[in-house]
Amino acid sequence: MTDRRLYIWLDRDPFSGPPDLWIEDVPGRADLDLLAEAIRSGRLGRFLPTRLAISPHERPRLSTGFRSVNVPNLLRQYRIPYRTRLELLAVPASDDAVAPASPSGQDERCT
């Protein structure tokens, strides 16, 4: 008997490369139930992207061969406690972009 796997891509398209992880696919159980169970047990790690993709195929050939999952919705639906964090993708180009504005509207560095 062959092992059934549910392949997982974290924060990227399944067509971009091999899966990041896999979990055992149990016949008769919903993929989202298995995914939520793996998240709850910590098998996917502590930090998750906002979207991930799952598929029973290691290399899906069509866009219908995988499912995109909204992770915050999944966590709410399965009542898995979580905390939201934000990642900054762009770095400010100058010091002016970093300095907070004073309530009076004047630059406090000049006083």
Side-chain angles (χ1 to χ4, degrees):
M1 183 170 167
T2 62
D3 290 336
R4 295 181 59 134
R5 294 181 176 180
L6 187 60
Y7 298 96
I8 302 168
W9 289 263
L10 300 172
D11 204 24
R12 64 189 177 95
D13 190 292
F15 299 124
S16 67
D20 297 310
L21 304 164
W22 63 268
I23 57 176
E24 186 178 343
D25 189 6
V26 180
R29 296 217 28 220
D31 291 347
L32 291 180
D33 291 344
L34 296 171
L35 182 62
E37 184 179 298
I39 290 172
R40 183 176 281 125
S41 68
R43 287 184 281 163
L44 271 60
R46 184 172 176 185
F47 298 101
L48 297 173
T50 56
R51 296 198 76 73
L52 55 82
I54 59 173
S55 175
H57 311 286
E58 187 173 5
R59 292 186 186 102
R61 299 188 200 289
L62 302 171
S63 60
T64 57
F66 68 91
R67 180 177 187 171
S68 182
V69 178
N70 183 318
V71 175
N73 286 348
L74 179 79
L75 297 176
R76 278 192 296 274
Q77 181 181 356
Y78 285 88
R79 293 187 175 101
I80 300 171
Y82 70 96
R83 180 181 356 201
T84 303
R85 304 230 174 181
L86 302 175
E87 177 184 1
L88 303 179
L89 299 177
V91 177
S94 67
D95 279 345
D96 294 336
V98 178
S102 67
S104 65
Q106 294 183 0
D107 190 351
E108 292 180 19
R109 293 178 290 166
C110 296
T111 57

